[in-house]
Amino acid sequence: MTTRSLIPLGAHERFHTSEVEVARAQVGRAFCAHDLRLLGRSRQLDARLHGVTFGDTGLYYLDYGAEVMITPGALEDFYLVQIPMGGTADIMCGREHIVSTPRLASVPSPTEALAMRWHEGNAQLIVWIRRTALEAHLGKLLGRQPRMPVRFDLGMDLTTPGARSWLGVIDLLRRDVDNAG
């Protein structure tokens, strides 16, 4: 097995770089414009993004290989579910703060300012959902359009039965993509 085959979505590399400006531009192209600062002692970036999109959703693997501060502000047009595969990340969204771990994903509100400190060893699997699609789907389920933006708790406990079931669907999708399904 190659290293590439061990990385989720390994055959769908978008970029791999040690340059902060390249990482900022490429992650910005996939998600949104943001500030990216290298932190910590090593000061050596080893960033990679792998990803696939399916219309109004996407599945990504993102690793900076170093401690970084990411400040996109409000996401506006999309929702993210960020699932750490290891390590921790400090996630600040609006007035909320969580320490995200492999047991606690983050689901930032697209209408609140977002800032994240990903610690070294904090690769993440990220589910991207277009905001208009999520809100339209909810409107169909409710029989009316929501009057306010949909807001989730910032922390998603991945140990609950519902979250484990949801993760099973995400893992199935990831495995299908990894196996050219």
Side-chain angles (χ1 to χ4, degrees), residues 35 37 39-40 64 66-72 82-84 86-102 104-108 113-124 154-155:
D35 184 48
R37 289 182 307 153
L39 305 172
Y64 287 101
E67 186 173 3
V68 294
M69 186 72 185
I70 309 157
T71 47
Q82 301 177 118
I83 307 162
T88 63
D90 294 301
I91 310 293
M92 290 79 55
C93 188
R95 294 180 180 199
E96 291 184 86
H97 171 262
I98 64 166
V99 176
S100 186
T101 68
L104 186 69
S106 65
V107 189
L114 176 62
M116 303 175 285
R117 183 177 190 144
W118 285 21
H119 299 277
E120 190 169 351
N122 182 238
Q124 297 204 20
L154 180 57

Side-chain angles (χ1 to χ4, degrees), residues 101-162:
T101 68
R103 296 173 55 97
L104 186 69
S106 65
V107 189
S109 170
T111 60
E112 302 278 339
L114 176 62
M116 303 175 285
R117 183 177 190 144
W118 285 21
H119 299 277
E120 190 169 351
N122 182 238
Q124 297 204 20
L125 192 62
I126 301 171
V127 179
W128 174 91
I129 305 166
R130 187 179 317 278
R131 180 178 169 188
T132 55
L134 185 139
E135 291 174 353
H137 184 71
L138 177 61
K140 287 178 187 172
L141 293 174
L142 295 173
R144 62 172 173 76
Q145 287 304 307
R147 287 179 259 230
M148 299 176 64
V150 176
R151 194 170 189 294
F152 297 97
D153 289 339
L154 180 57
M156 179 182 186
D157 181 350
L158 297 174
T159 67
T160 66

Side-chain angles (χ1 to χ4, degrees), residues 9 12 14 30-31 49-62 77-83 124-131 133-134 166 169-171 173-174 177:
L9 311 171
H12 302 278
R14 300 277 182 102
F31 298 107
L49 176 70
H50 296 218
V52 293
T53 57
F54 313 94
D56 292 324
T57 61
L59 187 59
Y60 295 88
Y61 168 85
L62 178 57
D77 298 329
F78 58 93
Y79 289 90
L80 294 177
V81 180
Q82 301 177 118
I83 307 162
Q124 297 204 20
L125 192 62
I126 301 171
V127 179
W128 174 91
I129 305 166
R130 187 179 317 278
R131 180 178 169 188
L134 185 139
W166 183 81
V169 172
I170 299 305
D171 190 54
L173 178 61
R174 183 203 49 81
V177 168

